[in-house]
Amino acid sequence: TNYAAGFANSASLQASGSGRLTININNGTLTDLNPNVMYATSVNVGANGLLVVSADPLNGTSTQFRTSGASIFAQGAQLSINLVSLQGAQQETYTILQTVGSGTLSAGTFALNSVGNAPFLYYANASYVPGTGGGGAIDLTVTQKTPAELGLNTAEGNALSAVLAAAPLNPAIQSALLAPTTQSSFRSIY
């Protein structure tokens, strides 16, 4: 079920008279397929909620909710990332939620490597970055694994940089490298 342009799955979305959106994900999933800025009054992810965001490193865009009200990521809230292109850098940080104005943010602790759906090629970690006056941000840091962490032999590892540099020139190859989420599925396509 689509709830808004670029969104899929189950969540509670409410538009206010100011043209801003209130997003509540308590016992469901909200998948944002649009790696761009969206203004919302608040984004609240409960302990049984999952927010899936998108990033397009090749074009320098990612999901970024800018919230002006009180947003909450409860302890146990889950995040997942949909990468639509390969990263050019070894590590990229995507700010997926940033408070603006008098917006506030409270968040639990995110476990190491707890961001779901990351391509096996990368580690993905979420962090709460406190700001002044109760504001703050939620960042997702995506780091490319080393050839050894990917389970590649020496020859395969030596070719990795060239493969990753050439892959964006062929959308099918790029998609094939981003699709696997396990070592065995990555090894079968590499």
Side-chain angles (χ1 to χ4, degrees), residues 25-183:
I25 311 164
N26 292 316
N27 291 304
T29 299
L30 178 67
T31 300
D32 178 16
L33 303 174
N34 181 13
N36 289 296
V37 174
M38 174 175 268
Y39 291 90
T41 301
S42 64
V43 175
N44 302 300
V45 184
N48 296 313
L50 170 62
L51 174 60
V52 182
V53 297
S54 295
D56 184 358
L58 188 63
N59 292 302
T61 62
S62 67
T63 298
Q64 186 179 95
F65 293 100
R66 294 193 182 156
T67 60
S68 57
S71 293
I72 300 169
F73 278 67
Q75 187 68 38
Q78 298 174 55
L79 292 168
S80 184
I81 189 162
N82 171 43
L83 283 177
V84 296
S85 62
L86 291 165
Q87 291 185 169
Q90 181 75 19
Q91 184 176 75
E92 294 278 346
T93 297
Y94 307 99
T95 299
I96 63 153
L97 186 141
Q98 176 70 59
T99 59
V100 295
S102 60
T104 61
L105 173 63
S106 64
T109 304
F110 297 100
L112 186 64
N113 295 323
S114 64
V115 175
N117 202 45
F120 183 74
L121 188 57
Y122 302 103
Y123 290 115
N125 290 293
S127 60
Y128 166 56
V129 182
T132 59
I138 302 289
D139 286 347
L140 293 184
T141 300
V142 179
T143 306
Q144 183 184 316
K145 293 179 181 175
T146 66
E149 291 167 329
L150 293 169
L152 302 178
N153 65 36
T154 303
E156 293 167 332
N158 289 340
L160 183 62
S161 291
V163 169
L164 295 179
L169 302 174
N170 185 318
I173 292 173
Q174 179 172 249
S175 293
L177 288 168
L178 290 169
T181 58
T182 65
Q183 185 178 36

